Each structure stands twice: as C-alpha cells, then as structure tokens.
Amino acid sequence: MPALYLLGPAFVAAIAYVDPGNVAANVSAGSQFGFLLLWVIVVANVMAGLVQYLSAKLGLVTGTTLPEAIAARSGTAARIGFWAQAELVAVATDLAEVVGGALALYLLFGLPLLAGGVVTGAVSLLLLVVQDRRGQRTFERVISGLLLVIAIGFLSSLFVDPPAPADMASGLVPRFDGLESILLAAAILGATVMPHAVYLHSGLVIDRHGRFEPGPKRTRLLAATRWDVVLAMLIAGAVNIAMLLVAATHLQGRPDTDSIEGAYAAVRDSLGPTVALLFAVGLLASGLASSSIGAYAGAMIMDGMLKVSVPLLVRRFVTLLPAIVVLALHVDPSRALVLSQVALSFGIPFAVLPLIRLTSDRALMGDDVNHRISTVLGWLVAIVISVLNLVLVYQTFAG
C-alpha cells in the first residue's frame, strides 16, 4: 500500500457519496421496499469508484480539471450549455445538503428548519475558508474527520441489532417492483455517482499533487490514487449500505418512516436514544461537510468552463438560495431530498461521457490511457444510468 501521506483527495470527494440525499434515498428505499434495492447501492458504489479514479487520473496526467478539459474541446455554445447543466446539478446538490443539515439541527436541537438551513450554509462557508486560508491538507483532515463522524453515526446501529444474513443476500439479486422502486433506484444512483464529485476529483488531485511528467513518480502516484479511491469508496459504500439495512430491518411496515424525521423516531423507538443521537449527529456532519464540497465543486466548474471566478460569499449565497426557499415554503424536506437526487442522476451522463472519452484519448493521456476494459465499463456505466433515467421519464408520463 502507498504511503498514507499520498491519500486524501478521494476522502474529500467521498463526502458527496454520504450526503443527506443518500440518507433520504436509502432510508426511503429500505422503509418502502426492504432489502430489494440493496444491489443498486452495491452496483452504484462500484460505478462511482471507477469514474472517480478516471477523474483523478485525468487531473494527474494532464494537469487540467475535467471542466477545463471539456471547455478546451467545446465551442462557445456547447461550453455554456455544459456549464448551465452543471450549475443546475450544483444547485440540486446544495438543496439536498442544506435541507439535510437543517433537518439534523431540528432533530438535535429543535431549531426551525429555515434557521437550520442558514446555519448549515454559514458553517459550510467556514469550511471553505479553511481550505482557502489553511490549504488543501488541512481541509482534507477536517473533511476526513467529518467522514469518520458520519461513518460512526450510521454504522453504529448495525452493531446494536444486525439484520439477518439471508435477508441481506436476497437484496443482492437485481430486480425492481414498480415505478416507485425505479424512482428510488434513480435517486440512489444520483446520490452515489455524484456529477459534481466527478468534476471535482480532477481538481482535488491537482490542488494536492500538481501535475507529474511520465515516470516512476507519476506511476507511484496513480497507484496511490487507486488505493485512495478504493478505501474512500469502501467507507462510503459501507455507510450507504448501513442506511438501507437499518431502514429495511427496523422501519419497513411502520407508518411515517419514509421521511428522515420518521426514520429518526423509529430508530429511537427501536434501538434507543443513543443510537438515534448518533444517527442525527451523522446526518449533521453529512450536511455540513457535503455542503462545503458542493460549493467547492460549483466554483471549480464555473472557473473551468467559463474562466469566471466568483467571490466565495457570493457563490455560497446563490447556491444556498433555492434550499432556503424550499425550507421557507415548507416543502416536505425528505421528498425534496429524494427528488433532488433524481435530478442529479440526469446530470451524470454529462460528466461521465466526456470523462470516458477524454481518458480514452491516447494523444491526451499517453501511456496512461484507459485500458480497454476500463473504457468498456465506463461506457456501460453511462449507458445504464441513461437508460434507467429514460425508463423513469417514460413510466412517469405514461402513468
């Protein structure tokens, strides 16, 4: 295994895979369909690991971020179109993360949702200031610490009352059960293969490592990056699986458990106040950390595609505003979280397809061009997600 000091960027990107949108999608899937969609989380996590590594490899080999690489090969209209959809993805991301943080503050302290959204936005801004003032390594340590809090918060319940192995095994058989299960599968994919994290990872490795010319140092760094991605996605995958397993074991069949508030109450009744407290703390850490990552990604996307840098405070306010509006209008927060993840899933092909094309270009990547198997798997990821979204749209309007 590579030296530990080379690890870190993937753990920052992995926060996107355990954000409040994941909580809402996984809890809804487990409470409504039991273990049925466990296989979706496993497949989505493998997909995410592949695309995150390819994004990091693009940054390390070329010294350019994915948005910059897309912009360099696009005309003005295409570049603006790419930026527009990526910005919508960033807004949907922020919606999930701020609403999730507000829910956690409500569960922990009884803070009104609107006030909780403002607090979440403010704290995420402070985390970005840490990155700006103290550097990438300090930011990685802070975010990795929050990832540990998230993992403890959501994994603790499995040790108190683990599900039956046979039930878990049954959830690994690929299948659906009606339109709502497809909707939740799309939400899980949107919450796991996160478009903004795909864009972001290429920039994270540049900020941390820079660009290396071909040779032993770059080979070692690429190997370290593979380990970085594998370890980070193992943690994120375990957390996501834990969410669904807890919901399937303790929430299925109970009334009002298709929301985070209902899930919290059911966990408290079933597993006790301590586990429920850890659940809420994990949700809070998830909202705070992932909101800062979403804003970080949005700024990098705008800079890479439009060559426009917006002051951090302005950027934070603009992406925070839709979430604040949702909270002020008293929209069901848990439903808003799930739908935001469905919206994210529609942005995935726009990030993944160019990434596969770029990393398969030998003129750009040299000897580090994708292996043929990686290219085939990458295209398969994009096709599966696109087909699932088309089926979802068809069934929604046909019904």
Side-chain angles (χ1 to χ4, degrees):
M1 184 181 292
L4 292 178
Y5 71 86
L6 294 176
L7 306 181
F11 286 80
V12 175
I15 287 291
Y17 298 100
V18 289
D19 76 347
N22 290 82
V23 181
N26 294 330
V27 166
S28 294
S31 63
Q32 292 182 51
F33 296 101
F35 300 90
L36 178 74
L37 297 178
L38 179 61
W39 68 273
V40 178
I41 295 179
V42 174
V43 171
N45 209 65
V46 174
M47 290 179 174
L50 172 63
V51 296
Q52 289 304 138
Y53 172 68
L54 294 182
S55 175
K57 184 172 74 168
L58 176 71
L60 290 172
V61 172
T62 67
T64 58
T65 67
L66 177 57
E68 289 171 336
I70 292 173
R73 289 159 178 78
S74 304
T76 301
R79 183 162 45 86
I80 293 175
F82 258 102
W83 168 77
Q85 64 81 27
E87 282 298 318
L88 291 175
V89 164
V91 169
T93 299
D94 224 24
L95 173 65
E97 291 151 356
V98 172
V99 170
L103 278 171
L105 289 169
Y106 169 74
L107 295 175
L108 287 168
F109 308 111
L111 195 67
L113 290 177
L114 183 58
V118 173
V119 170
T120 301
V123 173
S124 67
L125 178 61
L126 290 176
L127 290 174
L128 289 170
V129 170
V130 168
Q131 191 274 338
D132 186 56
R133 301 287 177 83
R134 302 297 297 273
Q136 188 73 11
R137 292 293 297 274
T138 301
F139 182 66
E140 286 176 6
R141 292 190 186 103
V142 172
I143 296 298
S144 295
L146 289 171
L147 180 60
L148 179 61
V149 172
I150 296 166
I152 293 172
F154 291 113
L155 289 170
S156 59
S157 55
L158 289 184
F159 294 97
V160 175
D161 188 7
D167 291 334
M168 290 189 288
S170 69
L172 297 176
V173 180
R175 63 196 190 281
F176 294 108
D177 184 15
L179 174 61
E180 184 66 17
S181 69
I182 297 175
L183 174 66
L184 285 172
I188 290 171
L189 280 171
T192 305
V193 187
M194 296 286 273
H196 74 286
V198 178
Y199 293 117
L200 178 64
H201 206 158
S202 58
L204 288 172
V205 293
I206 295 171
D207 290 344
R208 172 67 182 277
H209 302 298
R211 181 179 183 273
F212 284 80
E213 295 298 325
K217 287 186 177 180
R218 192 164 85 182
T219 299
R220 182 175 178 233
L221 193 54
L222 287 171
T225 298
R226 284 192 289 271
W227 276 106
D228 195 25
V229 171
V230 168
L231 294 174
M233 295 312 301
L234 281 175
I235 294 172
V239 172
N240 283 316
I241 288 171
M243 295 175 194
L244 185 141
L245 293 180
V246 169
T249 304
H250 300 287
L251 278 59
Q252 190 180 15
R254 297 177 60 126
D256 303 321
T257 56
D258 57 348
S259 67
I260 290 179
E261 308 98 297
Y264 171 81
V267 168
R268 182 186 58 208
D269 295 341
S270 301
L271 300 174
T274 300
V275 174
L277 175 65
L278 291 172
F279 177 93
V281 169
L283 178 63
L284 178 60
S286 169
L288 297 177
S290 56
S291 185
S292 66
I293 297 304
Y296 188 174
M300 192 197 72
I301 290 167
M302 178 176 282
D303 183 56
M305 292 188 173
L306 299 184
K307 302 301 180 186
V308 174
S309 295
V310 176
L312 198 60
L313 187 61
V314 175
R315 174 85 205 174
R316 175 72 287 192
F317 175 77
V318 170
T319 55
L320 180 64
L321 189 60
I324 296 299
V325 170
V326 166
L327 293 173
L329 294 176
H330 304 289
V331 175
D332 176 18
S334 294
R335 188 63 177 173
L337 282 173
V338 172
L339 292 177
S340 72
Q341 302 311 293
V342 175
L344 287 177
S345 72
F346 284 93
I348 296 169
F350 291 97
V352 174
L353 291 172
L355 175 64
I356 303 303
R357 178 68 186 88
L358 289 165
T359 53
S360 302
D361 185 349
R362 182 171 291 277
L364 178 67
M365 301 295 293
D367 290 339
D368 293 305
V369 67
N370 288 347
H371 190 280
R372 185 173 299 175
I373 294 176
S374 299
T375 300
V376 170
L377 290 176
W379 286 116
L380 183 62
V381 167
I383 291 169
V384 167
I385 293 170
S386 300
V387 169
L388 183 58
N389 287 335
L390 289 173
V391 171
L392 175 63
V393 171
Y394 173 78
Q395 291 202 14
T396 299
F397 287 100

